Amino acid sequence: MSPFLDPAILFFVFGLLAGGLRSNLEIPPPIARFLSLYLLMALGLKGGFALAASGLTAQVSVSLLAALGLAVVVPALGYGLLRRFLNGFDAAAIAATYGSVSAVTFITAVQYLDTHAVAYGGHMAAAMALMESPAIVMAVLLANMVRQRERRAAGLAPDAAHPAPSLRHILHESFTDGAQLLLLGAMAVGIITGEAGQAAMKPFASDLFKGMLAFFLLDMGLLAARHMGDLRGKSPWLLAYALLGPLVHATLALGLAAALGLPPGNGALLMVLAASASYIAVPAVVRVAIPEANPSLYVGMSLGLTFPFNILLGIPLYVGVAQRVLS
């Protein structure tokens, strides 16, 4: 099936068009929240059932380590590049956004692999969970360094009245995020219950999945269309980064997958994770931890350009390249 004939993708395109036409069509926020939690729960269960069947093999460990390495390298490279034409706070926020991951992009890629009968390891859901937090921690530390440097340059003492969030607080916020906890909890349930649990949960975790994803992507299309306006008047360099950055990050992941001998399905998902950008977890933390950064940049870029690019073009591209190079 062509990706453009996939019902879930077509609903995303429909959402983009409806949003572009300024339609009053909308998915109530509580329903959108439920859909996102359902998708994460179903994905965690699928990953847990797969891990229960395969066990913790060497390939699983290598894939998780590769994901963790990318979660450090991608934001570090991004910050170094973005700092050339942005202030330190915006550079750190955008680096965190592109160093972290988009769960919806990953879930869409999993559905794409299922539709095209490409095998992959359920442990890649754990890889997604591992990749969410390192970029956030790095960005907060970088922003704190910028903040202290600016105060020293201005001859000011550290701001005792408004201290920066502690590393412990940031780690707590990152690792106890409800969505991430649900994903890991569902994965644990899948591992514990195994084949019997998979049979019992099949109507919930498998049969409903495609329809729920289509409904959620409709909402994401509407949301993405609204955020495209945030990019008006922004630097062409930022627009280029939003489109070319994912390709560079996916290429890094492909090289790592080839070096480690990962199979095509796992390599494709590693590429998707490296190429995706967070628009939920990172903004929630960054708005508190780095209030100096401009949300219209890091949210507008990730949701207005990178997310639609990956959903419509990136996922088929990454999977096709991974199958050619890693087969």
Side-chain angles (χ1 to χ4, degrees):
M1 179 189 293
S2 165
F4 294 106
L5 295 180
D6 186 290
I9 301 303
L10 286 175
F11 271 108
F12 177 75
V13 174
F14 174 65
L16 283 175
L17 293 174
L21 293 172
R22 300 176 185 250
S23 166
N24 63 356
L25 174 65
E26 67 174 350
I27 309 300
I31 294 179
R33 176 66 174 165
F34 164 75
L35 290 171
S36 68
L37 292 176
Y38 163 80
L39 292 171
L40 287 169
M41 186 174 177
L43 178 66
L45 285 170
K46 286 183 177 183
F49 296 144
L51 276 173
S54 68
L56 186 62
T57 63
Q59 186 181 105
V60 170
S61 301
V62 167
S63 298
L64 296 180
L65 288 173
L68 197 56
L70 284 169
V72 174
V73 170
V74 168
L77 292 176
Y79 181 79
L81 175 63
L82 292 163
R83 192 67 182 88
R84 297 174 181 272
F85 53 91
L86 287 174
N87 65 64
F89 299 115
D90 284 331
I94 296 173
T97 300
Y98 283 82
S100 189
V101 295
S102 161
V104 180
T105 306
F106 179 80
I107 290 169
T108 307
V110 166
Q111 181 62 43
Y112 183 89
L113 293 178
D114 286 339
T115 301
H116 291 80
V118 179
Y120 60 90
H123 64 278
M124 294 305 294
M128 181 186 73
L130 277 177
M131 291 182 71
E132 188 168 52
S133 298
I136 299 175
V137 175
M138 288 177 64
V140 172
L141 294 176
L142 288 168
N144 286 345
M145 291 170 55
V146 172
R147 199 175 287 120
Q148 293 168 11
R149 187 164 58 242
E150 288 186 353
R151 292 189 67 83
R152 284 196 301 268
L156 300 173
D159 189 357
H162 301 90
S166 67
L167 180 59
R168 180 180 177 183
H169 174 75
I170 296 302
L171 288 172
H172 181 270
E173 289 293 312
S174 299
F175 290 108
T176 61
D177 174 70
Q180 182 157 310
L181 271 183
L182 177 61
L183 174 70
L184 294 175
M187 189 175 296
V189 170
I191 293 172
I192 293 169
T193 59
E195 188 175 344
Q198 184 174 14
M201 296 299 288
K202 183 178 181 297
F204 174 84
S206 297
D207 297 346
L208 291 176
F209 190 85
K210 184 78 171 183
M212 292 288 201
L213 178 60
F215 205 169
F216 189 65
L217 284 179
L218 167 63
D219 182 55
M220 293 310 304
L222 292 167
L223 195 59
R226 294 180 188 122
H227 278 279
M228 287 178 181
D230 294 342
L231 300 174
R232 290 195 188 95
K234 297 297 187 288
S235 167
W237 291 109
L238 289 176
L239 305 184
Y241 184 85
L243 294 175
L244 298 179
L247 296 176
V248 173
H249 302 159
T251 302
L252 290 174
L254 177 65
L256 189 57
L260 296 174
L262 298 185
N266 292 353
L269 289 178
L270 193 65
M271 292 172 72
V272 169
L273 288 169
S276 67
S278 173
Y279 51 84
I280 296 176
V282 168
V285 177
V286 166
R287 285 186 181 183
V288 175
I290 316 179
E292 301 92 339
N294 182 355
S296 71
L297 292 180
Y298 55 86
V299 177
M301 289 169 62
S302 63
L303 194 49
L305 278 181
T306 304
F307 180 73
F309 171 78
N310 278 329
I311 294 295
L312 297 175
L313 300 175
I315 290 173
L317 174 64
Y318 307 144
V319 173
V321 171
Q323 287 181 303
R324 283 179 174 270
V325 174
L326 303 177
S327 295

